[in-house]
Amino acid sequence: MKESWSSVDTLETNFRPLVVIELAKGTKEETIEWFTKRIVDKKTNGGAQLLIKPLVTENGGENIYLVGASHLRLLLGAENVGLVKECNDNSMRAFTYSSRKTFKDFAVRRLLTNGILVQIFPLHDREELKKLRHTWYGQVKIGYQPLDEIRCYFGETIALYFGFLEYFTFALIPMAVIGIPYYVFAWEDYDKYVMFATFNLLWSTVILEVWKRICAVMTYRWGTLLMKRQFEEPRPGFHGVLGINPVTGREEPVYSSIKRQLRIYLVSVPFVCLCLYFSLYVMMIYFDLEQWALDYHEENKSNFSSLMLYVPSIIYAVVIEIMNRIYRYAAEFLTSWENHRLESSYQNHLILKVLVFNFLNCFASLFYIAFVLFDMKLLRQSLATLLITSQILNQFAESLLPYWLQKRYMKKMKERMHSLKMDTDLSLVEQVNSEKEMGTYFGTFDDYLELFLQFGYVSLFSCVYPLAAVFAVLNNITEIYSDALKMCRVYKRPFAEPTANIGVWQLAFETMSVISVVTNCILIGMSPQVNALFPDSKMDLILTVALVEHLLLAIKFVMAFVIPDKPRDIQIKLAKLEFESLEALKQQQMKLAAESLKE
């Protein structure tokens, strides 16, 4: 028999704090009373039926509350959200509290609470975090990441990002291995890049198809491959006049889609186009600086003038990173102003804005150098400078600087702990006070964006700079450790988000792969070897390159169709589960029909 939420007493003694809620200062008592009542009330009364306690501090006056739940309630919550887990017979089934003993382990789903608050975040489990840090980045070793442990602590979305980062790093190794001797023995010989570009075409296609299969295996093991898409509630920032939702019948804000479309096409699109124009204008300034540096070198011919040749590229790389970050804030503001009802719609519009600008801002100069100036030496120099500079800046801005600031804050906080003698054994109050000052992790958006741009640098033009894959591998190895460090030491613990794949980023990487096919085909067509085959007619060369490019794209799409997204054993298990679900539904219908005949 399925156990209901109402059978669980709200006054359980085994309170375990899981989530911290900080309300705004000066919040009215009736608001706090209403808010806490919504948390502890039974599900039938519209509450969450959880446990809540105020955090008692020495100075008092802080509206900080701890929300928790007993082990029993967490199990019932897993059943309530339809969590899918692995049974003892290695099959995946929906978790129920009554059949909990047939399952191998349990997982905690995120707690959703709406209210007037400053921040809400889960507390770190210090013992589990200590174990995870040791196995994850506590020792320098060559091996796989503890993805299952990362998933249990941070959730599937973050674990899947680290899984993709690890896979992408391994996938870059063949390119790096081929690129090193290619760089050593054919440094100035641009006639040799045809074979490397051809390998690049196959590599960029195969790795994305293989990732789909690896992703399916991981998410099936984690139980999220089978999770049904839940009905989306309005996002917190959505506003409008109160109306009735025709689907749910509930009262909620309603906003005209026509007004939203007008905001998108009359404001957002022109703004994005203006930013793209400004990016191209900055690019032309960069080329003026390149010409100035070249003229200066021609006049002086010194070691200093040789170094000055790299200065414009370094300055341009720094400007690109600054422009990307400023534009990101503007894109977030515009997308929020467009007032999208669903979080998925908000994210899709934000990703589209950011990807379009970042692609043009980062790669426009490389396309201009390759296909307008036809300067392979400058292309190699610019690619190397942009790639290495962006990697150094990202490592500093995303991990090293936040870690230094957090460590500085923790040092000051520990100096104020006059009542404690041990630095490591912090009280609950000190833990809450320290974690609420930590930075907030806003998701994997920036992490995937960094890998997306890196994939573009490697797949589009690496044939003229074979060491691009080598630097990408080295960066990703340090990225794994720095990202692990910031997740465990710099940021608050984020709420776990279940997911079955990397979402729209899969499409983004595949689009980049298609562009790389076109780019590398044109580079091959520009090579002296291929030009020598068509000495009399350039039109025949263009038609041949276009034909080869279309054939390669056709092969790419055929490979994507032929290679299954899920391994055969996973497909069989999914089909078996669907068959069992249909049989169970039939039996339930037959049982209901029999009961109705008896009546």
Coordinates of all heavy atoms in Angstrom, one line a residue, residues 281-360:
Y281 N 33.6 46.2 -35.7 CA 34.4 47.5 -35.7 C 35.7 47.3 -34.9 O 36.8 47.8 -35.3 CB 33.5 48.6 -35.2 CG 34.2 49.9 -35.1 CD1 34.3 50.7 -36.3 CD2 34.7 50.4 -33.9 CE1 34.9 51.9 -36.3 CE2 35.3 51.7 -33.9 CZ 35.4 52.4 -35.1 OH 36.0 53.6 -35.1
V282 N 35.6 46.7 -33.7 CA 36.7 46.4 -32.9 C 37.7 45.5 -33.6 O 39.0 45.7 -33.5 CB 36.3 45.8 -31.6 CG1 37.5 45.4 -30.8 CG2 35.5 46.8 -30.8
M283 N 37.2 44.5 -34.4 CA 38.1 43.6 -35.2 C 38.9 44.4 -36.2 O 40.1 44.2 -36.3 CB 37.2 42.6 -35.9 CG 38.0 41.6 -36.7 SD 37.0 40.5 -37.8 CE 36.6 41.7 -39.0
M284 N 38.3 45.4 -36.9 CA 39.1 46.2 -37.8 C 40.1 47.0 -37.2 O 41.2 47.3 -37.7 CB 38.1 47.1 -38.6 CG 37.0 46.3 -39.4 SD 37.7 44.9 -40.4 CE 38.8 45.8 -41.5
I285 N 39.8 47.5 -35.9 CA 40.9 48.2 -35.2 C 42.0 47.3 -34.9 O 43.2 47.7 -34.9 CB 40.3 48.8 -33.9 CG1 39.2 49.9 -34.2 CG2 41.4 49.4 -33.0 CD1 38.5 50.4 -33.0
Y286 N 41.7 46.1 -34.6 CA 42.8 45.1 -34.3 C 43.7 44.9 -35.5 O 44.9 44.8 -35.4 CB 42.1 43.7 -33.9 CG 43.0 42.5 -34.2 CD1 44.2 42.3 -33.5 CD2 42.6 41.6 -35.1 CE1 45.0 41.2 -33.7 CE2 43.4 40.5 -35.3 CZ 44.6 40.3 -34.7 OH 45.4 39.2 -34.9
F287 N 43.1 44.8 -36.7 CA 43.9 44.6 -37.9 C 44.8 45.9 -38.2 O 45.9 45.8 -38.7 CB 43.0 44.3 -39.1 CG 42.5 42.9 -39.1 CD1 41.1 42.7 -39.1 CD2 43.3 41.9 -39.1 CE1 40.6 41.4 -39.1 CE2 42.9 40.6 -39.1 CZ 41.5 40.3 -39.1
D288 N 44.3 47.1 -37.8 CA 45.1 48.3 -38.0 C 46.3 48.2 -37.0 O 47.4 48.6 -37.4 CB 44.3 49.5 -37.6 CG 43.2 49.8 -38.7 OD1 43.4 49.3 -39.8 OD2 42.2 50.5 -38.3
L289 N 46.1 47.6 -35.8 CA 47.2 47.4 -34.9 C 48.2 46.4 -35.4 O 49.4 46.5 -35.2 CB 46.7 47.0 -33.5 CG 45.9 48.1 -32.7 CD1 45.4 47.5 -31.4 CD2 46.8 49.3 -32.4
E290 N 47.7 45.4 -36.0 CA 48.5 44.4 -36.6 C 49.4 45.0 -37.7 O 50.6 44.7 -37.8 CB 47.7 43.2 -37.2 CG 47.2 42.2 -36.2 CD 48.2 41.3 -35.6 OE1 49.4 41.4 -36.1 OE2 47.9 40.4 -34.8
Q291 N 48.8 45.8 -38.5 CA 49.6 46.4 -39.6 C 50.7 47.4 -39.0 O 51.8 47.4 -39.5 CB 48.7 47.2 -40.5 CG 49.4 47.8 -41.7 CD 50.0 46.7 -42.6 OE1 49.4 45.7 -42.9 NE2 51.3 46.9 -43.0
W292 N 50.3 48.1 -37.9 CA 51.3 49.0 -37.3 C 52.4 48.2 -36.7 O 53.6 48.6 -36.8 CB 50.6 49.8 -36.2 CG 51.5 50.6 -35.3 CD1 52.1 51.8 -35.6 CD2 52.1 50.1 -34.1 NE1 52.9 52.2 -34.6 CE2 53.0 51.2 -33.6 CE3 52.0 49.0 -33.3 CZ2 53.7 51.1 -32.4 CZ3 52.7 48.9 -32.1 CH2 53.6 49.9 -31.7
A293 N 52.1 47.0 -36.0 CA 53.2 46.2 -35.4 C 54.1 45.6 -36.5 O 55.3 45.5 -36.3 CB 52.6 45.1 -34.6
L294 N 53.5 45.2 -37.6 CA 54.3 44.7 -38.8 C 55.2 45.8 -39.3 O 56.4 45.5 -39.6 CB 53.4 44.1 -39.8 CG 54.0 43.5 -41.0 CD1 54.9 42.3 -40.6 CD2 53.0 43.0 -42.0
D295 N 54.7 47.0 -39.5 CA 55.5 48.1 -40.0 C 56.7 48.4 -39.1 O 57.8 48.7 -39.5 CB 54.7 49.3 -40.3 CG 53.7 49.1 -41.4 OD1 53.9 48.2 -42.2 OD2 52.7 49.8 -41.4
Y296 N 56.3 48.4 -37.8 CA 57.4 48.7 -36.8 C 58.5 47.6 -36.8 O 59.7 48.0 -36.6 CB 56.7 48.7 -35.4 CG 57.7 49.0 -34.2 CD1 58.0 50.3 -34.0 CD2 58.2 48.0 -33.5 CE1 58.9 50.6 -32.9 CE2 59.1 48.3 -32.4 CZ 59.4 49.6 -32.1 OH 60.3 49.8 -31.1
H297 N 58.1 46.4 -37.0 CA 59.1 45.3 -37.0 C 59.9 45.4 -38.3 O 61.2 45.2 -38.2 CB 58.4 44.0 -37.0 CG 59.3 42.8 -37.1 ND1 60.2 42.5 -36.2 CD2 59.5 41.8 -38.1 CE1 60.9 41.4 -36.5 NE2 60.5 41.0 -37.7
E298 N 59.3 45.8 -39.4 CA 60.1 46.0 -40.6 C 61.1 47.1 -40.5 O 62.2 47.0 -41.1 CB 59.1 46.2 -41.8 CG 58.2 45.1 -42.2 CD 59.0 43.9 -42.7 OE1 60.1 44.1 -43.3 OE2 58.6 42.8 -42.6
E299 N 60.8 48.1 -39.7 CA 61.7 49.2 -39.6 C 62.9 48.9 -38.6 O 64.0 49.3 -38.9 CB 61.0 50.5 -39.1 CG 60.0 51.0 -40.1 CD 59.2 52.2 -39.6 OE1 59.5 52.6 -38.4 OE2 58.4 52.7 -40.3
N300 N 62.6 48.2 -37.6 CA 63.6 48.0 -36.5 C 64.3 46.6 -36.6 O 65.5 46.6 -36.3 CB 62.9 48.1 -35.1 CG 62.4 49.6 -34.9 OD1 63.2 50.4 -34.5 ND2 61.2 49.8 -35.2
K301 N 63.6 45.6 -36.9 CA 64.2 44.2 -37.0 C 65.0 43.9 -35.7 O 66.2 43.5 -35.8 CB 65.2 44.2 -38.2 CG 64.5 44.3 -39.5 CD 63.7 43.1 -39.9 CE 63.1 43.2 -41.3 NZ 62.4 42.1 -41.7
S302 N 64.4 44.0 -34.6 CA 65.0 43.7 -33.3 C 64.2 42.6 -32.6 O 63.1 42.3 -33.0 CB 65.2 44.9 -32.4 OG 63.9 45.5 -32.1
N303 N 64.8 42.1 -31.4 CA 64.0 41.2 -30.6 C 62.7 41.8 -30.0 O 61.7 41.2 -29.9 CB 64.9 40.6 -29.5 CG 66.0 39.8 -30.0 OD1 65.9 39.1 -31.1 ND2 67.1 39.8 -29.3
F304 N 62.9 43.1 -29.7 CA 61.7 43.8 -29.1 C 60.6 43.9 -30.1 O 59.4 43.8 -29.9 CB 62.1 45.2 -28.6 CG 61.0 46.0 -28.1 CD1 60.5 45.7 -26.8 CD2 60.5 47.0 -28.8 CE1 59.4 46.5 -26.3 CE2 59.4 47.8 -28.3 CZ 58.9 47.5 -27.1
S305 N 61.0 44.3 -31.4 CA 60.0 44.4 -32.4 C 59.4 43.1 -32.8 O 58.2 43.0 -33.1 CB 60.6 45.0 -33.7 OG 61.6 44.2 -34.2
S306 N 60.1 42.0 -32.6 CA 59.5 40.6 -32.8 C 58.5 40.3 -31.8 O 57.4 39.7 -32.1 CB 60.6 39.6 -32.8 OG 61.6 39.8 -33.8
L307 N 58.8 40.7 -30.5 CA 57.8 40.5 -29.5 C 56.5 41.4 -29.7 O 55.4 41.0 -29.4 CB 58.4 40.8 -28.1 CG 59.5 39.9 -27.6 CD1 60.0 40.4 -26.3 CD2 58.9 38.5 -27.5
M308 N 56.7 42.6 -30.2 CA 55.6 43.5 -30.5 C 54.6 42.9 -31.5 O 53.5 43.4 -31.5 CB 56.2 44.9 -31.0 CG 56.8 45.7 -29.9 SD 55.7 46.2 -28.6 CE 54.6 47.2 -29.5
L309 N 55.1 42.0 -32.3 CA 54.2 41.4 -33.3 C 53.0 40.6 -32.6 O 51.9 40.5 -33.2 CB 54.9 40.4 -34.2 CG 55.9 41.0 -35.2 CD1 56.7 39.9 -35.9 CD2 55.2 41.9 -36.2
Y310 N 53.2 40.2 -31.4 CA 52.2 39.4 -30.6 C 51.3 40.3 -29.8 O 50.3 39.9 -29.3 CB 52.8 38.3 -29.8 CG 53.5 37.3 -30.5 CD1 54.9 37.3 -30.9 CD2 52.8 36.1 -30.9 CE1 55.5 36.3 -31.6 CE2 53.4 35.1 -31.7 CZ 54.8 35.2 -32.0 OH 55.4 34.2 -32.7
V311 N 51.7 41.6 -29.6 CA 51.0 42.4 -28.7 C 49.6 42.7 -29.2 O 48.6 42.7 -28.4 CB 51.8 43.8 -28.5 CG1 50.9 44.8 -27.7 CG2 53.0 43.5 -27.7
P312 N 49.3 43.1 -30.5 CA 48.0 43.3 -30.9 C 47.0 42.1 -30.7 O 45.9 42.3 -30.3 CB 48.1 43.6 -32.4 CG 49.5 44.1 -32.5 CD 50.3 43.3 -31.5
S313 N 47.5 40.9 -30.9 CA 46.7 39.7 -30.7 C 46.4 39.5 -29.3 O 45.2 39.1 -28.9 CB 47.4 38.5 -31.3 OG 47.6 38.5 -32.7
I314 N 47.3 39.8 -28.4 CA 47.1 39.6 -26.9 C 46.1 40.7 -26.5 O 45.1 40.3 -25.7 CB 48.4 39.7 -26.1 CG1 49.3 38.6 -26.5 CG2 48.1 39.8 -24.6 CD1 50.7 38.7 -25.9
I315 N 46.2 41.9 -26.9 CA 45.3 42.9 -26.5 C 43.9 42.6 -27.1 O 42.9 42.7 -26.3 CB 45.8 44.3 -27.1 CG1 47.0 44.7 -26.4 CG2 44.7 45.4 -26.9 CD1 47.6 46.0 -27.0
Y316 N 43.8 42.1 -28.3 CA 42.5 41.8 -28.9 C 41.9 40.6 -28.1 O 40.6 40.6 -27.9 CB 42.7 41.4 -30.4 CG 41.4 41.2 -31.1 CD1 40.4 42.0 -31.1 CD2 41.3 40.0 -31.9 CE1 39.2 41.8 -31.8 CE2 40.2 39.7 -32.6 CZ 39.1 40.6 -32.5 OH 37.9 40.4 -33.2
A317 N 42.7 39.6 -27.7 CA 42.1 38.5 -27.0 C 41.5 39.0 -25.6 O 40.5 38.5 -25.2 CB 43.2 37.5 -26.7
V318 N 42.2 39.9 -25.0 CA 41.7 40.4 -23.7 C 40.4 41.2 -23.9 O 39.4 41.1 -23.2 CB 42.8 41.3 -23.0 CG1 42.2 42.0 -21.8 CG2 44.0 40.5 -22.6
V319 N 40.4 42.0 -25.0 CA 39.2 42.8 -25.3 C 38.0 41.9 -25.6 O 36.9 42.2 -25.2 CB 39.5 43.8 -26.5 CG1 38.2 44.4 -27.0 CG2 40.5 44.8 -26.1
I320 N 38.3 40.8 -26.3 CA 37.2 39.8 -26.7 C 36.6 39.3 -25.4 O 35.4 39.2 -25.3 CB 37.8 38.7 -27.5 CG1 38.0 39.2 -29.0 CG2 36.9 37.5 -27.5 CD1 38.6 38.1 -29.9
E321 N 37.4 38.9 -24.4 CA 36.9 38.3 -23.2 C 36.1 39.4 -22.4 O 35.0 39.1 -21.8 CB 38.1 37.8 -22.3 CG 38.8 36.6 -22.8 CD 37.9 35.4 -22.9 OE1 37.0 35.2 -22.0 OE2 37.9 34.7 -23.9
I322 N 36.6 40.6 -22.4 CA 35.8 41.7 -21.7 C 34.5 41.9 -22.4 O 33.4 42.0 -21.8 CB 36.7 43.0 -21.7 CG1 37.9 42.8 -20.8 CG2 35.8 44.1 -21.2 CD1 38.9 44.0 -20.8
M323 N 34.5 42.0 -23.7 CA 33.3 42.2 -24.5 C 32.3 41.0 -24.3 O 31.1 41.2 -24.2 CB 33.6 42.4 -26.0 CG 34.3 43.7 -26.3 SD 34.8 43.8 -28.0 CE 33.3 43.6 -28.9
N324 N 32.8 39.8 -24.2 CA 31.9 38.7 -24.0 C 31.2 38.7 -22.7 O 30.0 38.4 -22.6 CB 32.7 37.4 -24.1 CG 33.1 37.0 -25.5 OD1 32.5 37.5 -26.5 ND2 34.1 36.1 -25.7
R325 N 31.9 39.1 -21.7 CA 31.4 39.2 -20.3 C 30.4 40.4 -20.2 O 29.3 40.2 -19.6 CB 32.5 39.3 -19.3 CG 33.3 38.1 -19.2 CD 34.4 38.1 -18.2 NE 35.3 37.0 -18.2 CZ 35.0 35.8 -17.7 NH1 33.9 35.6 -17.0 NH2 35.8 34.8 -17.8
I326 N 30.7 41.5 -20.8 CA 29.8 42.6 -20.7 C 28.5 42.3 -21.5 O 27.4 42.6 -21.0 CB 30.4 43.9 -21.3 CG1 31.6 44.4 -20.4 CG2 29.4 45.0 -21.4 CD1 32.3 45.6 -20.9
Y327 N 28.7 41.7 -22.7 CA 27.5 41.3 -23.5 C 26.6 40.3 -22.7 O 25.4 40.3 -22.9 CB 28.0 40.8 -24.8 CG 26.8 40.3 -25.7 CD1 26.1 41.2 -26.4 CD2 26.5 38.9 -25.7 CE1 25.0 40.7 -27.2 CE2 25.4 38.5 -26.5 CZ 24.7 39.4 -27.2 OH 23.6 38.9 -28.0
R328 N 27.3 39.4 -22.0 CA 26.5 38.4 -21.3 C 25.5 39.0 -20.3 O 24.4 38.6 -20.2 CB 27.5 37.5 -20.5 CG 26.9 36.5 -19.5 CD 26.0 35.5 -20.1 NE 25.3 34.7 -19.2 CZ 25.8 33.7 -18.5 NH1 27.1 33.3 -18.8 NH2 25.1 33.0 -17.6
Y329 N 26.0 40.1 -19.6 CA 25.1 40.7 -18.6 C 23.9 41.4 -19.4 O 22.8 41.4 -19.0 CB 25.8 41.8 -17.8 CG 26.8 41.2 -16.8 CD1 28.2 41.4 -16.9 CD2 26.4 40.3 -15.8 CE1 29.1 40.8 -16.0 CE2 27.2 39.8 -14.9 CZ 28.6 40.0 -15.0 OH 29.5 39.4 -14.1
A330 N 24.3 42.1 -20.5 CA 23.2 42.7 -21.3 C 22.2 41.7 -21.9 O 21.0 42.0 -21.9 CB 23.9 43.5 -22.5
A331 N 22.7 40.5 -22.3 CA 21.8 39.5 -22.8 C 20.9 39.0 -21.7 O 19.7 38.7 -22.0 CB 22.7 38.4 -23.4
E332 N 21.4 38.8 -20.5 CA 20.6 38.3 -19.4 C 19.5 39.4 -19.1 O 18.3 39.0 -18.9 CB 21.5 38.1 -18.2 CG 22.3 36.8 -18.3 CD 23.2 36.6 -17.1 OE1 23.3 37.6 -16.3 OE2 23.7 35.5 -16.9
F333 N 19.9 40.6 -19.1 CA 18.9 41.7 -18.8 C 17.8 41.7 -19.9 O 16.6 41.8 -19.6 CB 19.6 43.1 -18.7 CG 18.6 44.2 -18.6 CD1 18.1 44.5 -17.4 CD2 18.3 45.0 -19.7 CE1 17.2 45.6 -17.2 CE2 17.4 46.0 -19.6 CZ 16.9 46.3 -18.4
L334 N 18.2 41.7 -21.2 CA 17.2 41.7 -22.2 C 16.3 40.5 -22.2 O 15.1 40.6 -22.4 CB 18.0 41.7 -23.6 CG 18.3 43.1 -24.2 CD1 19.0 43.0 -25.5 CD2 17.0 44.0 -24.3
T335 N 16.9 39.3 -22.0 CA 16.1 38.1 -22.0 C 15.1 38.1 -20.8 O 14.0 37.6 -21.0 CB 17.0 36.9 -21.9 OG1 18.0 36.9 -22.9 CG2 16.2 35.6 -22.2
S336 N 15.5 38.6 -19.7 CA 14.6 38.7 -18.6 C 13.5 39.8 -18.8 O 12.4 39.6 -18.5 CB 15.4 39.1 -17.3 OG 14.5 39.3 -16.2
W337 N 13.9 40.9 -19.5 CA 12.9 41.9 -19.9 C 11.9 41.4 -20.9 O 10.7 41.9 -20.9 CB 13.7 43.1 -20.4 CG 12.8 44.2 -20.9 CD1 12.1 45.1 -20.1 CD2 12.6 44.6 -22.2 NE1 11.4 46.0 -20.9 CE2 11.7 45.7 -22.2 CE3 13.0 44.1 -23.5 CZ2 11.2 46.4 -23.3 CZ3 12.5 44.8 -24.6 CH2 11.6 45.9 -24.5
E338 N 12.3 40.4 -21.7 CA 11.3 39.9 -22.7 C 10.2 39.1 -22.0 O 9.2 38.9 -22.6 CB 12.1 38.9 -23.6 CG 13.0 39.6 -24.6 CD 13.9 38.7 -25.3 OE1 13.8 37.4 -25.1 OE2 14.8 39.1 -26.1
N339 N 10.4 38.8 -20.7 CA 9.4 38.2 -19.8 C 8.8 36.9 -20.4 O 7.7 36.7 -20.7 CB 8.2 39.2 -19.7 CG 7.3 38.9 -18.5 OD1 7.7 38.3 -17.6 ND2 6.1 39.3 -18.6
H340 N 9.8 35.9 -20.5 CA 9.4 34.6 -20.9 C 8.7 33.8 -19.7 O 9.2 33.9 -18.5 CB 10.6 33.8 -21.3 CG 11.2 34.4 -22.6 ND1 10.8 34.1 -23.8 CD2 12.3 35.2 -22.7 CE1 11.5 34.8 -24.7 NE2 12.4 35.4 -24.1
R341 N 7.7 33.1 -20.0 CA 6.9 32.4 -18.9 C 7.7 31.2 -18.4 O 7.7 31.0 -17.2 CB 5.6 32.0 -19.5 CG 4.7 31.2 -18.5 CD 3.4 30.8 -19.1 NE 2.6 30.0 -18.1 CZ 2.7 28.7 -17.9 NH1 3.6 28.0 -18.7 NH2 2.0 28.1 -17.0
L342 N 8.3 30.4 -19.2 CA 9.0 29.2 -18.8 C 10.5 29.4 -18.8 O 11.1 30.1 -19.5 CB 8.6 28.1 -19.8 CG 7.1 27.7 -20.0 CD1 7.0 26.6 -21.0 CD2 6.5 27.4 -18.6
E343 N 11.1 28.7 -17.8 CA 12.5 28.7 -17.7 C 13.2 28.2 -18.9 O 14.3 28.7 -19.3 CB 13.0 27.9 -16.4 CG 14.5 27.9 -16.1 CD 14.9 29.3 -15.8 OE1 14.1 30.1 -15.3 OE2 16.1 29.6 -16.0
S344 N 12.7 27.1 -19.5 CA 13.3 26.6 -20.7 C 13.3 27.6 -21.9 O 14.3 27.7 -22.6 CB 12.5 25.3 -21.2 OG 11.2 25.6 -21.4
S345 N 12.2 28.3 -22.0 CA 12.2 29.4 -23.1 C 13.2 30.5 -22.8 O 13.9 30.9 -23.7 CB 10.7 29.9 -23.2 OG 10.7 31.0 -24.1
Y346 N 13.3 30.9 -21.5 CA 14.3 31.9 -21.1 C 15.7 31.4 -21.5 O 16.5 32.2 -22.1 CB 14.1 32.2 -19.7 CG 15.2 33.0 -19.1 CD1 15.1 34.4 -19.1 CD2 16.3 32.5 -18.5 CE1 16.1 35.2 -18.6 CE2 17.3 33.2 -17.9 CZ 17.2 34.6 -18.0 OH 18.2 35.4 -17.5
Q347 N 16.0 30.2 -21.1 CA 17.4 29.7 -21.4 C 17.6 29.6 -22.8 O 18.8 29.9 -23.3 CB 17.5 28.3 -20.7 CG 17.6 28.3 -19.2 CD 18.8 29.1 -18.7 OE1 19.8 29.1 -19.3 NE2 18.7 29.6 -17.5
N348 N 16.7 29.1 -23.6 CA 16.9 29.0 -25.1 C 17.2 30.3 -25.7 O 18.1 30.4 -26.6 CB 15.7 28.3 -25.7 CG 15.6 26.8 -25.4 OD1 16.6 26.2 -25.0 ND2 14.4 26.3 -25.5
H349 N 16.4 31.3 -25.4 CA 16.7 32.7 -26.0 C 18.0 33.3 -25.5 O 18.7 33.9 -26.3 CB 15.5 33.6 -25.6 CG 14.3 33.4 -26.4 ND1 13.4 32.4 -26.2 CD2 13.8 34.1 -27.5 CE1 12.4 32.5 -27.1 NE2 12.6 33.5 -27.9
L350 N 18.3 33.0 -24.2 CA 19.6 33.5 -23.7 C 20.8 32.8 -24.4 O 21.7 33.5 -24.8 CB 19.7 33.3 -22.2 CG 21.0 33.7 -21.5 CD1 21.3 35.2 -21.7 CD2 21.0 33.3 -20.0
I351 N 20.7 31.5 -24.5 CA 21.8 30.8 -25.2 C 22.0 31.2 -26.6 O 23.1 31.4 -27.1 CB 21.5 29.3 -25.1 CG1 21.7 28.8 -23.6 CG2 22.5 28.5 -26.0 CD1 21.3 27.3 -23.4
L352 N 20.8 31.4 -27.3 CA 20.9 31.9 -28.7 C 21.6 33.2 -28.8 O 22.5 33.4 -29.7 CB 19.5 31.9 -29.3 CG 19.5 32.4 -30.8 CD1 20.2 31.4 -31.7 CD2 18.0 32.5 -31.3
K353 N 21.2 34.2 -28.0 CA 21.9 35.5 -28.0 C 23.4 35.4 -27.7 O 24.2 36.0 -28.4 CB 21.2 36.4 -27.0 CG 19.8 36.9 -27.2 CD 19.4 37.8 -26.2 CE 17.9 38.3 -26.3 NZ 17.0 37.2 -26.0
V354 N 23.7 34.6 -26.7 CA 25.1 34.6 -26.3 C 26.0 33.8 -27.3 O 27.1 34.2 -27.6 CB 25.2 33.9 -24.9 CG1 26.7 33.7 -24.5 CG2 24.6 34.8 -23.8
L355 N 25.5 32.7 -27.9 CA 26.2 32.0 -28.8 C 26.5 32.7 -30.1 O 27.6 32.7 -30.7 CB 25.5 30.6 -29.2 CG 25.5 29.5 -28.1 CD1 24.9 28.3 -28.6 CD2 27.0 29.3 -27.6
V356 N 25.5 33.4 -30.6 CA 25.7 34.2 -31.8 C 26.8 35.3 -31.7 O 27.7 35.4 -32.5 CB 24.3 34.9 -32.3 CG1 24.6 35.9 -33.4 CG2 23.4 33.8 -32.7
F357 N 26.7 36.0 -30.6 CA 27.7 37.0 -30.3 C 29.1 36.5 -30.1 O 30.1 36.9 -30.6 CB 27.3 37.9 -29.1 CG 28.3 39.0 -28.9 CD1 28.2 40.2 -29.6 CD2 29.2 38.9 -27.9 CE1 29.1 41.2 -29.4 CE2 30.1 39.9 -27.6 CZ 30.1 41.1 -28.4
N358 N 29.2 35.5 -29.2 CA 30.5 34.9 -28.9 C 31.1 34.2 -30.1 O 32.3 34.3 -30.3 CB 30.3 33.8 -27.8 CG 30.3 34.4 -26.4 OD1 31.3 34.4 -25.7 ND2 29.2 35.0 -26.0
F359 N 30.3 33.6 -31.0 CA 30.9 33.0 -32.2 C 31.5 34.1 -33.1 O 32.6 33.9 -33.6 CB 29.8 32.2 -32.9 CG 30.3 31.6 -34.2 CD1 30.9 30.3 -34.1 CD2 30.2 32.2 -35.4 CE1 31.3 29.7 -35.3 CE2 30.6 31.6 -36.6 CZ 31.2 30.3 -36.5
L360 N 30.7 35.1 -33.3 CA 31.2 36.2 -34.2 C 32.4 36.9 -33.5 O 33.4 37.2 -34.2 CB 30.1 37.2 -34.5 CG 30.5 38.3 -35.5 CD1 30.6 37.7 -36.9 CD2 29.6 39.5 -35.5

